[in-house]
């Protein structure tokens, strides 16, 4: 087989979701590591008065594309923005664009999806299932199509403990569900949603499972592959360590912990945190399309599915995540932290609720009261409310573990040449979690919050100030408890003196023992 860059040389590629987190990294990596690619069409809708061309031009000016700009200054000429809205009939493509895509596209990467876990079912179906169905219909018209790669999620079948690299039949017929949702009003759909999704935690995982099955049923003679990433995080190595540009998933939680706002969270310390770096997912995606395209004549009748996960190969637990976050942000703090970073994961819901009230709600109310007194607008309770909603969405995934089969991923690595294994590395056995977590946390500081490293001395000074405030507060609290509860009660005083005398005797005995030695 030809190597990966050679396979993509002269090819015309179509990407959906190119303005999303994964789509950007896919576009950058494809152009940088496969310089022979002929052109890349990206389907983008107009937004906030900006045309697709303007949005792409703005996107490629961000830091992610700096390395590509240095290596290939003319790369932008290969990117062709196509005006499209996946929720509209015929993807809102003009007849001319439909014809151009049908005549030229060789490879399709369908990355577009809604990643909001609590999306209303109708909207999730529209974006995750119906949009995929329309993309398949367009793909069937493409005269030179070699591969259709669908990006799903490893949690599509999270109602199972063991998840194989196969497409599972969903609990309902997607065709009937689509027909039913057409005549149902929002109120009825909302009422039926819990029963429809069953053991799955949200509409996202449910509709992604339906989309997989729909792809299998309607692929026909198309050469299809499915990649299932788990929790996609910051980059591991490419184009540079720690790149992240959003608050989605764990990133927002990490930032809240670094700011000292997040103090407690419902999670199992022993549960596997199946984080996977975005560049690992993209490298696996490019390799999967290469393999399916190269094996077109000898391809299997079954759709190749790749579980792009880390838990079964190089496990990392939520308890370790907690330690890494606290250590990183205490050493390299975020600017203007609310409190010192000290997040604690708790598996007991009652204990977590108690500490949520004590560590989140009460400090937020006190701080908002202070802001009101100083004439400022209160904002902390609003932030805490949003944080709690985000934690509730993630709670299911931080409290459970799954076993994913990764045989196809292992097979894919084995098929690659030594050079391709270096350039398109997705072997997570090489991933050092402590280093990666430090890069991830620092990435949120540099690329999401746009904080300069030159501000670290001031941030550390601010953290020390917060520590001194905490010690002072604790001292005042102890004195207050003494004056109110102990000093006024004879029994409390006797107990207190008894405890102090025991401590004094123990220290005297310990000192005498040390002297005798």
């Amino acid at each position: 087989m030809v190597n990966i860059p050679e396979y993509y040389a002269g090819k015309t590629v179509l990407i959906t979701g190119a303005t999303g987190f994964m789509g950007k990294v896919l576009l950058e990596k494809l152009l940088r590591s496969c310089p022979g690619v002929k052109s890349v069409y990206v389907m983008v809708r107009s937004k906030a008065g900006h045309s697709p061309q303007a949005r792409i031009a703005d996107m490629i000016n961000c830091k992610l594309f700096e390395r590509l700009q240095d290596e290939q200054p003319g790369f932008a000429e290969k990117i062709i923005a196509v005006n499209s809205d996946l929720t509209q009939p015929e993807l809102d493509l003009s007849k001319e664009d439909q014809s151009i895509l049908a005549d030229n596209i060789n490879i399709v990467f369908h990355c577009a999806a809604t990643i909001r876990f609590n999306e209303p079912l109708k909207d999730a179906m529209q974006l995750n299932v119906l949009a995929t169905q329309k993309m398949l219909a367009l793909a069937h018209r493409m005269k030179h199509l070699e591969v259709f790669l669908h990006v799903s999620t490893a949690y599509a079948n999270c109602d199972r403990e063991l998840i194989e690299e196969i497409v599972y039949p969903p609990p309902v017929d997607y065709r009937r569900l689509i027909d039913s949702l057409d005549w149902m009003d929002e109120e009825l759909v909302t009422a039926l949603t819990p029963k429809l999704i069953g053991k799955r935690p949200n509409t996202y995982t449910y509709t992604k499972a339906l989309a997989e099955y729909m792809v299998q049923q309607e692929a026909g003679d198309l050469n299809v592959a499915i990649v299932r990433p788990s929790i996609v995080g910051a980059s591991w190595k490419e184009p540079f360590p720690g790149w992240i540009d959003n608050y989605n998933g764990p990133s927002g939680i990490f930032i809240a912990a670094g700011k000292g706002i997040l103090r407690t969270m419902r999670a199992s310390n022993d549960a596997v945190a199946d984080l996977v770096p975005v560049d690992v997912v993209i490298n696996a995606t490019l390799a999967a399309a290469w393999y399916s395209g190269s094996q077109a004549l000898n391809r299997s009748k079954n759709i190749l599915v790749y579980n792009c996960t880390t838990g079964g190969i190089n496990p990392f637990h939520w308890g370790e995540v907690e330690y890494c976050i606290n250590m990183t942000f205490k050493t390299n703090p975020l600017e203007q932290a609310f409190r010192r970073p000290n997040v604690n994961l708790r598996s007991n819901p009652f204990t977590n609720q108690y500490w949520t009230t004590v560590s989140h709600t009460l400090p937020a109310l006190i701080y908002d009261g202070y802001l009101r007194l100083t004439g400022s607008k209160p904002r902390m309770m609003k932030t805490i409310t949003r944080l709690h909603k985000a934690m509730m969405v993630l709670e299911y995934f931080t409290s459970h573990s799954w076993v994913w089969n990764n045989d196809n991923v292992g097979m894919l690595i084995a098929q690659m040449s030594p050079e391709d294994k270096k350039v398109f590395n997705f072997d997570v056995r090489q991933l050092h979690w402590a280093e990666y977590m430090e890069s991830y946390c620092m990435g949120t500081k540099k690329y999401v919050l746009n904080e300069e490293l030159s501000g670290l001395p001031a941030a550390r000074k601010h953290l020390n100030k917060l520590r001194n405030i905490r010690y002072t507060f604790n001292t005042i609290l102890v004195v207050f408890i003494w004056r109110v509860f102990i000093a006024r009660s004879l029994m409390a005083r006797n107990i207190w003196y008894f405890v102090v005398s025991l401590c004094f005797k123990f220290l005297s005995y310990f000192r005498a023992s040390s002297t005798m030695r």
Side-chain angles (χ1 to χ4, degrees), residues 198-475:
K199 292 182 180 179
R200 289 182 175 86
N202 50 52
T203 57
Y204 171 71
T205 56
Y206 178 69
T207 53
K208 293 299 275 186
L210 290 176
E212 282 191 9
Y213 186 71
M214 187 272 298
V215 167
Q216 184 190 58
Q217 295 298 301
E218 301 191 11
D221 59 352
L222 293 178
N223 188 8
V224 174
I226 296 174
V227 173
R228 291 176 179 157
S230 48
I231 303 172
V232 183
S235 60
W236 173 23
K237 293 180 178 179
E238 294 184 276
F240 40 81
W243 185 79
I244 183 80
D245 72 342
N246 60 75
Y247 291 89
N248 297 332
S251 304
I253 298 297
F254 292 175
I255 291 170
K259 287 285 189 180
I261 298 171
L262 176 64
R263 316 294 290 178
T264 182
M265 182 175 171
R266 176 89 188 278
S268 171
N269 283 287
D270 298 325
V272 173
D274 214 294
L275 298 171
V276 58
V278 64
D279 49 334
V280 166
V281 179
I282 296 309
N283 286 339
T285 300
L286 289 167
W290 156 78
Y291 181 76
S292 290
S294 301
Q295 296 289 312
L297 298 176
N298 303 310
R299 64 186 173 105
S300 169
K301 292 181 180 179
N302 296 322
I303 291 176
L304 277 172
V305 180
Y306 301 91
N307 286 336
C308 192
T309 59
T310 57
I313 304 168
N314 185 1
F316 188 58
H317 302 89
W318 285 110
E320 295 170 287
V321 172
E322 171 200 299
Y323 176 79
C324 289
I325 292 171
N326 288 333
M327 289 302 295
T328 300
F329 284 128
K330 283 177 181 176
T331 307
N332 301 296
L334 301 180
E335 294 175 9
Q336 295 301 310
F338 179 61
R339 296 171 72 183
R340 279 177 61 82
N342 189 29
V343 63
N344 289 280
L345 305 184
R346 294 179 171 87
S347 57
N348 187 299
F350 301 106
T351 306
N352 184 63
Q353 187 57 51
Y354 167 78
W355 283 108
T356 297
T357 304
V358 171
S359 301
H360 292 175
T361 308
L362 288 178
L365 289 171
I366 293 168
Y367 186 66
D368 279 353
Y370 166 76
L371 290 175
R372 283 191 178 93
L373 289 173
T374 56
S376 302
K377 185 179 179 181
R379 62 179 184 272
M380 190 52 67
M381 267 308 296
K382 186 177 180 181
T383 302
I384 288 294
T385 303
R386 288 172 59 192
L387 178 63
H388 288 172
K389 286 180 180 178
M391 288 193 300
M392 285 177 66
V393 166
L394 288 173
E395 192 174 288
Y396 178 86
F397 303 98
T398 57
S399 302
H400 294 82
S401 293
W402 291 266
V403 178
W404 281 282
N405 182 294
N406 302 101
D407 289 348
N408 287 343
V409 172
M411 175 276 296
L412 192 58
I413 293 173
Q415 294 292 327
M416 294 165 65
S417 68
E419 182 61 25
D420 281 348
K421 287 177 183 178
K422 292 179 184 177
V423 178
F424 301 90
N425 184 18
F426 54 94
D427 187 351
V428 295
R429 290 173 297 184
Q430 301 170 20
L431 180 62
H432 187 273
W433 281 111
E435 291 177 3
Y436 172 69
M437 284 301 300
E438 184 176 356
S439 294
Y440 194 160
C441 292
M442 293 304 293
T444 62
K445 177 181 175 68
K446 290 188 285 186
Y447 310 122
V448 180
L449 300 176
N450 296 315
E451 295 181 4
E452 297 292 337
L453 294 182
S454 58
L456 274 175
R460 292 184 182 122
K461 189 175 180 181
H462 177 70
L463 218 59
N464 289 334
K465 181 181 175 182
L466 291 175
R467 181 194 60 194
N468 295 337
I469 291 171
R470 179 190 169 194
Y471 289 162
T472 303
F473 175 79
N474 289 347
T475 303

Side-chain angles (χ1 to χ4, degrees), residues 53-62:
Q53 292 76 15
R55 290 184 65 193
I56 292 299
D58 183 58
M59 181 185 79
I60 62 177
N61 281 326
C62 75

